[in-house]
Amino acid sequence: MEEKMIGPGPYRATKLWNETIKLFRAGMPLRRHRMHFRSYDSCFTASEAADWLHELLRSNNNFGPEVTRTQTIQLLKKFLKNHVIQDIKGRWGTEDFEDNGQLYRFPPSSPLKPLPKHPQNTESTSIPRFPNWDDYEQRDMQENVPVKPIIVNSEMWNKRHSIAIGEVHECKLIRRREITPRHVEQIWKSMTLAHLQRVLGLKSLDGVLDAKHLNPKYIVHNVYNINKQGVVVLEDKSLKTEELPHWVLSAMKCLASWPNGSELRQPMYPGFERDVFRTVADYFQKLKEPLLTFQLYEMFVNILGVLQKPQVATEALQVCCLLLPPENRRKLQLLMRLMARILQNTKIPPLNNAIVTRTLMVQTFSRCILCSADEVDLDELLATKLVTFMMDHYEDILKVPNRLQKSVEEHLSQLQRVQIKYAGADADASFVSHSYCKQISKEEFEEQRANSTQAPMAELLEGIIKDTELSVKDKKKKLKQFQKSYPDIYKMRFPTAESEAALFPEKPKLKPQLMFFKLKKPFQPFQRTRSFRA
């Protein structure tokens, strides 16, 4: 059975669980074993299952080489608990699985977890969307997909093209309505979710994230309330109660600057650094909720589907971490910085004799960073993969995404600018919500483009023709400008020179009247007179 890459989408953890079971049942070698003077067909030992499944998980792109044998044993225990496997006597559920020669086999049918139906997310329809139309136009040009044009009325066309034909309607400047802090928070929330959906390439966030439970105040706080190092600052007294205790901060600073001093001011005995590390680990492991929260578990699991694209995964994690409560984001930032500094510090002694420091960091803190409230069967494997990636890219992940911040601030700035209101136009026309483009056939696109463009302009041309207040000279000037701007529409109205000439019929020219003058004397040519000196 070929490996199937599970990409982002609703209920990704359940899909991974079912896919792993299918691969295990289809590929695990079965043979005849002998135990207690009896032979059993189509079975395998616990150690054989651990060897084969461990290799499968390490080579699978959904999990990766970070999977340890210990984690594989834990997964096999969950397989036995959920009746994916059973012992040779048919027992499962309450039995324990150990890495030994105990015999196991597959039941006749393995229970796969059903995928829940997508809940109808009412929040998705109530959140206003602010799409970047430049991105949509660029995408459609690259894909060469015709897009249904927006039908506009003749009045809108008159205003848009008034300069081209020499008309400027009367207008006045009015200010936008005031944007309250609540409006700002909702705009941040809607644009953040839209940005996240676009980065992950999902058609909808339904089944992945419940938007109605997100607090937009968290996003605004995480963007603007930070120190010079980019770490969230908890200035609100209500958030101070969730701050890291002083003794935990002191222990973290001690390890981060090892061996340059300790705020604890205690003697440095052999193994002192291990005790300090254990103090930090105990605090985070006893948290009631993981730092990435139970609520956002499915969202972060979906990001695992794009880890093969580091830049996309980094940007997605940047956005998701903005959704965290400020106290969680601050603890996550300090913990990830500590983990990275311990790995970079060559002077700190090994913190465990049996495990390398990098593996120790991941195993110690993975479940206090990511796990589900329902104890999903693949929690440990998924958390290991995500924490490993975050540990390697923590500096970029825990930054505020520049593209998102720039888009939101530009949108807010645009809303606060003055607008031009034309006489007779609707003052709230600029607040009309945009509609998403709908894909149509190329023939329908060409037909609608022609109709939507030519009809208003033809009406505008008729308005110029029938305008009785314009002089003949001004009317000819405007028609000439219109012909230059829209030659096809002009030609449809005046297909021949005769039809154009009929608009301005020439008046009959008057013959010049002959004027007769009565001369008193006959005309005589000029004669040269003699000189008076003669």
Side-chain angles (χ1 to χ4, degrees):
M1 186 174 181
E2 295 183 359
E3 170 191 337
K4 181 181 178 181
M5 186 64 186
I6 307 297
Y11 315 111
R12 186 173 185 272
T14 303
K15 294 178 182 178
L16 286 173
W17 169 261
N18 292 340
E19 181 68 15
T20 304
I21 293 176
K22 292 178 182 179
L23 292 174
F24 183 48
R25 285 178 60 92
M28 179 64 204
L30 304 178
R31 61 188 182 89
R32 189 174 186 179
H33 287 80
R34 186 176 179 84
M35 187 177 68
H36 302 311
F37 305 105
R38 290 188 59 181
S39 296
Y40 301 91
D41 295 327
S42 302
C43 59
F44 50 85
T45 66
S47 298
E48 290 173 348
D51 292 338
W52 193 90
L53 184 58
H54 185 211
E55 186 61 31
L56 169 68
L57 296 175
R58 285 174 55 86
S59 60
N60 191 299
N61 291 328
N62 293 310
F63 301 100
E66 299 87 4
V67 178
T68 64
R69 187 178 180 85
T70 302
Q71 293 172 336
T72 306
I73 299 298
Q74 294 296 325
L75 180 58
L76 285 168
K77 289 183 178 181
K78 294 177 180 180
F79 279 178
L80 182 59
K81 180 180 179 181
N82 290 275
H83 204 195
V84 178
I85 59 176
Q86 62 186 19
D87 70 4
I88 204 64
K89 296 182 180 181
R91 296 173 297 187
W92 59 277
T94 59
E95 303 297 318
D96 193 15
F97 185 95
E98 296 182 2
D99 190 359
N100 54 24
Q102 179 69 29
L103 295 181
Y104 294 90
R105 61 160 54 112
F106 293 117
S109 61
S110 182
L112 298 180
K113 294 185 177 181
L115 295 179
K117 295 183 180 180
H118 288 205
Q120 195 68 25
N121 190 353
T122 57
E123 182 76 4
S124 60
T125 58
S126 61
I127 296 180
R129 300 293 180 130
F130 303 94
N132 187 340
W133 295 107
D134 294 334
D135 292 346
Y136 283 108
E137 292 175 1
Q138 185 178 3
R139 182 193 64 185
D140 294 332
M141 292 175 62
Q142 293 175 352
E143 298 179 359
N144 196 23
V145 176
V147 178
K148 184 176 182 180
I150 299 176
I151 307 300
V152 295
N153 55 34
S154 59
E155 184 179 0
M156 295 174 63
W157 274 96
N158 290 344
K159 291 180 174 61
R160 184 177 298 178
H161 296 275
S162 59
I163 297 179
I165 61 176
E167 293 183 1
V168 178
H169 293 270
E170 180 183 357
C171 62
K172 63 180 180 179
L173 297 179
I174 60 175
R175 290 193 172 275
R176 303 268 187 173
R177 55 188 177 187
E178 183 181 357
I179 301 179
T180 64
R182 183 178 179 183
H183 291 154
V184 174
E185 292 169 359
Q186 291 300 323
I187 289 174
W188 264 104
K189 178 180 178 179
S190 60
M191 295 190 69
T192 300
L193 295 180
H195 184 77
L196 179 60
Q197 179 179 330
R198 184 167 57 251
V199 171
L200 291 178
L202 298 176
K203 295 181 180 180
S204 172
L205 294 179
D206 292 342
V208 176
L209 180 66
D210 192 355
K212 64 183 178 181
H213 294 310
L214 295 179
N215 191 338
K217 295 181 182 294
Y218 294 165
I219 304 175
V220 178
H221 187 104
N222 291 332
V223 171
Y224 295 107
N225 292 64
I226 56 178
N227 58 20
K228 295 181 179 179
Q229 290 75 33
V231 180
V232 173
V233 178
L234 304 179
E235 298 177 347
D236 192 347
K237 293 183 179 180
S238 61
L239 299 177
K240 285 287 187 179
T241 58
E242 301 295 334
E243 176 65 283
L244 281 170
H246 176 71
W247 54 272
V248 177
L249 284 173
S250 299
M252 295 175 72
K253 291 179 181 179
C254 176
L255 288 176
S257 59
W258 186 274
N260 296 330
S262 168
E263 291 187 3
L264 299 177
R265 297 182 180 179
Q266 294 183 358
M268 308 286 276
Y269 55 84
F272 177 77
E273 69 285 347
R274 297 190 181 189
D275 290 342
V276 175
F277 178 75
R278 194 174 299 112
T279 300
V280 176
D282 288 343
Y283 170 79
F284 283 99
Q285 290 174 349
K286 291 179 181 179
L287 292 175
K288 297 180 180 179
E289 186 180 33
L291 296 179
L292 298 184
T293 72
F294 292 136
Q295 177 186 339
L296 298 177
Y297 172 81
E298 190 69 31
M299 188 73 258
F300 282 100
V301 168
N302 272 271
I303 297 178
L304 291 172
V306 295
L307 286 189
Q308 68 275 14
K309 302 176 182 178
Q311 186 174 357
V312 176
T314 299
E315 188 171 4
L317 285 170
Q318 281 182 341
V319 180
C320 280
C321 289
L322 285 183
L323 306 178
L324 296 173
E327 59 271 20
N328 286 45
R329 181 176 171 89
R330 175 175 171 81
K331 292 176 183 178
L332 179 65
Q333 288 175 314
L334 295 176
L335 178 59
M336 297 304 297
R337 286 162 62 93
L338 172 65
M339 295 167 64
R341 289 195 178 185
I342 290 177
L343 293 179
Q344 297 169 0
N345 190 350
T346 58
K347 297 181 180 180
I348 190 170
L351 298 175
N352 190 293
N353 294 332
I355 307 175
V356 296
T357 304
R358 178 181 174 84
T359 305
L360 178 65
M361 293 293 110
V362 176
Q363 291 185 359
T364 303
F365 297 110
S366 59
R367 287 185 61 81
C368 64
I369 292 178
L370 177 70
C371 71
S372 67
D374 301 327
E375 286 294 325
V376 175
D377 301 299
L378 298 176
D379 269 358
E380 193 167 351
L381 297 178
L382 299 178
T384 297
K385 189 174 181 66
L386 182 66
V387 172
T388 300
F389 182 85
M390 294 182 67
M391 191 169 57
D392 295 335
H393 304 83
Y394 83 98
E395 290 185 347
D396 295 326
I397 290 174
L398 295 175
K399 288 181 180 178
V400 176
N402 292 329
R403 282 205 307 167
L404 174 61
Q405 183 177 4
K406 184 178 179 181
S407 299
V408 176
E409 291 177 349
E410 286 181 352
H411 182 75
L412 292 172
S413 176
Q414 184 179 4
L415 291 178
Q416 293 173 340
R417 293 175 185 168
V418 296
Q419 63 171 335
I420 299 177
K421 178 184 176 183
Y422 290 94
D426 186 4
D428 293 331
S430 59
F431 289 101
V432 176
S433 59
H434 297 287
S435 300
Y436 287 103
C437 297
K438 178 181 179 181
Q439 184 172 343
I440 59 175
S441 64
K442 189 173 183 179
E443 293 75 13
E444 186 179 0
F445 168 74
E446 294 296 338
E447 181 182 357
Q448 291 188 6
R449 183 179 67 173
N451 294 336
S452 62
T453 303
Q454 294 178 1
M457 296 310 299
E459 186 178 347
L460 180 61
L461 178 59
E462 289 297 330
I464 299 175
I465 295 173
K466 296 178 181 180
D467 192 347
T468 57
E469 296 182 359
L470 288 176
S471 64
V472 175
K473 182 178 179 181
D474 292 339
K475 184 176 294 188
K476 287 183 177 181
K477 183 178 179 181
K478 290 184 179 297
L479 290 175
K480 187 174 181 180
Q481 291 175 346
F482 189 97
Q483 182 183 15
K484 186 177 180 180
S485 302
Y486 309 99
D488 295 337
I489 300 175
Y490 189 86
K491 189 173 182 180
M492 290 176 61
R493 179 61 176 81
F494 301 107
T496 61
E498 291 76 8
S499 60
E500 182 180 3
L503 183 62
F504 302 102
E506 295 185 0
K507 296 180 180 181
K509 295 182 179 180
L510 297 177
K511 294 183 179 180
Q513 297 179 357
L514 296 178
M515 299 182 67
F516 298 94
F517 298 93
K518 185 177 180 181
L519 300 176
K520 294 181 179 182
K521 294 182 179 180
F523 177 76
Q524 296 180 356
F526 178 77
Q527 296 181 356
R528 185 174 182 179
T529 58
R530 296 181 180 180
S531 173
F532 292 101
R533 294 181 181 179

